[in-house]
Amino acid sequence: LHLLQTCFRLGPVSAFTLDRVATGASSLYYFPSSNHNHQIRSVSMSSSQSSNLPRVDFDKTETVGSTRWMRLETLSYTTADSDTTTDTTTTTIRKWDRAVRTTKQSENSIDAVVILAILKNADPTKDEVVCVKQFRPPVDAYTIELPAGLIDADEDVAAAAVREFTEETGYIGKVVDVLPASYLSPGLTNESASLVRLEVDMSLERNVQIHNDQIENVGLEGCEKDRGLTKLLLPRVGLLDALHELQRKEGVKVFAALYSLALGMSVSEAATGNGAGGNTK
């Protein structure tokens, strides 16, 4: 809520609190602590009628505020409480605030790509995960993340992943796998991202030059340069420990998906005993 207040310069917004006032056969709900002043009425229906609940009525979406890149909306959604003794269901219309990217093409479109690329070594225990380090104003800190970026209009997921990977790291990658959309903070936003796995051919001269810092990555956009975005190679084996060490020494913050990946690799390392198990496709 504090982040949304800062983005849209809103007044204080407290968490929604439902107070129930008995009004005979029905119930009246309202939000005394919010700035929306919505009155919401419950109605009864048969259980068969409410089988598709809960659901959002997007026709009733309200825009609270917006900037160039983000929009704050209040959704109306309907929930159901069943009474098995009477085979009836009481439905209630409720409210929920969310942040939406103004670049989002449709409700179910994928906003961004997150890229996993592992540089393979003859010794699998020396494989490296390609990451990026950059300053992120919303958390007022440098972060360690997987390369990522927004999908351009009329661009497919795979093409966006290859483009963003080259822009941010300088490497040329080839798509190996594309996962369906995933959601990092569904309680706050409908932003979605597809995790894409890339293969980096280290026999290519450009990749070798980028890897050895023999040439400069000229693909960074102005905003990324200003925030000091740089590629960062971290060990696949021991990735979780490497992230902990970076946090301890530099005070960086870690992207949730990268931490999840590191934890999964740590579990795999413990299971195999030597870390080689995480190298399988």
Side-chain angles (χ1 to χ4, degrees), residues 48 100 113 115 154-155 194 215 258 276:
S48 59
V100 181
V113 289
I115 300 141
D154 301 322
E155 185 179 36
S194 176
I215 59 174
L258 180 55

Side-chain angles (χ1 to χ4, degrees), residues 108-205:
N108 294 315
S109 64
I110 302 175
D111 297 284
V113 289
V114 178
I115 300 141
L116 172 61
I118 298 178
L119 302 185
K120 301 291 185 66
N121 191 285
D123 178 356
T125 65
K126 295 182 180 179
D127 290 350
E128 294 174 300
V129 180
V130 182
C131 301
V132 293
K133 178 182 177 181
Q134 60 185 314
F135 180 78
R136 288 293 196 181
V139 294
D140 189 28
Y142 277 88
T143 60
I144 306 299
E145 310 174 24
L146 293 172
L150 295 177
I151 300 172
D152 290 341
D154 301 322
E155 185 179 36
D156 64 41
V157 172
V162 171
R163 174 183 56 78
E164 284 288 348
F165 186 63
T166 300
E167 286 179 4
E168 293 196 351
T169 70
Y171 289 112
I172 297 173
K174 178 182 178 181
V175 174
V176 175
D177 197 12
V178 177
L179 296 186
S182 59
Y183 300 81
L184 290 175
S185 188
L188 175 67
T189 177
N190 64 346
E191 181 188 29
S192 62
S194 176
L195 180 61
V196 180
R197 188 159 66 93
L198 296 186
E199 183 179 84
V200 181
D201 184 354
M202 292 307 296
S203 68
L204 294 180
E205 182 180 1

Side-chain angles (χ1 to χ4, degrees), residues 204-224:
L204 294 180
E205 182 180 1
R206 175 186 171 84
N207 286 342
V208 173
Q209 292 175 328
I210 284 290
H211 188 70
N212 296 325
D213 296 322
Q214 294 172 329
I215 59 174
E216 181 184 357
N217 177 22
V218 296
L220 291 177
E221 298 177 344
C223 178
E224 294 169 333

Side-chain angles (χ1 to χ4, degrees), residues 11 21 35 42 53 59 92 96 107 129 131 155 185 210 218 224-225 228 250 262 280:
V21 180
N35 63 346
S42 295
L53 298 179
D59 291 335
T92 304
W96 194 284
E107 191 61 41
V129 180
C131 301
E155 185 179 36
S185 188
I210 284 290
V218 296
E224 294 169 333
K225 283 185 178 180
E250 302 181 21
T280 57

